[in-house]
């Protein structure tokens, strides 16, 4: 028989996704206005709550003492995919219409793929969502 662990001793954390962007204010405005994210902290970096995740929006830069050989930069080619946010919604056509009215630029209209309808939009730095 297994027993439930005491929840007060479990590790608690929040998973965030970081987007490195060319202009923090422009990207935050897009994500807040189009997707409805809530700004938790402004500045560099800016933290947003989007659905059930936190998004960190930061500008590029050189190495730091905790990552001495790592450079951060926005995507150089929007057609080469390295990261994207997958936004699962209850009614894709409704969100497609809503976000289109908020100036989102979609790659295609919703398309049927196996067991799902899907489409992607790009943010101001070219990240697909």
């Amino acid at each position: 028989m297994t027993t439930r662990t005491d929840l007060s001793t479990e590790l608690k954390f929040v998973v965030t996704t970081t987007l490195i962007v060319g202009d923090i204010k422009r990207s935050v405005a897009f994500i807040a206005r189009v997707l409805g994210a809530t700004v938790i902290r402004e500045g560099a970096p800016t933290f947003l709550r989007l659905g059930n995740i936190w998004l960190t929006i930061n500008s590029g830069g050189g190495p730091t003492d905790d990552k001495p050989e790592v450079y951060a930069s926005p995507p150089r080619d929007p057609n080469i995919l390295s990261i994207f946010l997958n936004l699962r919604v209850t009614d894709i056509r409704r969100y497609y219409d809503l976000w289109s009215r908020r100036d989102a630029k979609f790659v295609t209209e919703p398309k049927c793929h196996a067991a799902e309808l899907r489409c992607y939009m790009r943010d101001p730095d070219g990240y697909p969502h």
Side-chain angles (χ1 to χ4, degrees), residues 35-98:
L35 303 179
T38 302
V39 176
I40 296 170
R41 177 192 183 274
E42 293 186 39
T46 293
F47 301 121
L48 301 165
R49 180 175 206 136
L50 178 61
N52 62 344
I53 69 163
W54 282 25
L55 249 173
T56 303
I57 308 296
N58 209 356
S59 56
T64 58
D65 64 350
D66 57 340
K67 48 181 184 28
E69 297 178 13
V70 176
Y71 290 82
S73 67
R76 295 174 191 187
D77 183 337
N79 295 318
I80 297 177
L81 185 63
S82 62
I83 186 172
F84 64 95
L85 295 179
N86 205 338
L87 308 172
R88 299 280 178 189
V89 298
T90 54
D91 184 339
I92 193 168
R93 294 196 189 280
R94 185 172 139 232
Y95 279 94
Y96 176 87
D97 292 341
L98 173 67

Side-chain angles (χ1 to χ4, degrees), residues 2 5 12 27 30 57 66 75 81 111:
T2 60
T5 20
K12 293 177 176 67
S27 294
F30 173 84
I57 308 296
D66 57 340
L81 185 63
K111 295 182 175 277

Side-chain angles (χ1 to χ4, degrees), residues 8-52:
S8 65
T9 63
E10 289 184 18
L11 179 63
K12 293 177 176 67
F13 60 95
V14 173
V15 176
T16 69
T17 297
T18 300
L19 298 179
I20 304 300
V21 301
D23 182 324
I24 293 173
K25 286 185 179 189
R26 177 189 69 185
S27 294
V28 169
F30 173 84
I31 294 167
R33 181 176 48 81
V34 174
L35 303 179
T38 302
V39 176
I40 296 170
R41 177 192 183 274
E42 293 186 39
T46 293
F47 301 121
L48 301 165
R49 180 175 206 136
L50 178 61
N52 62 344

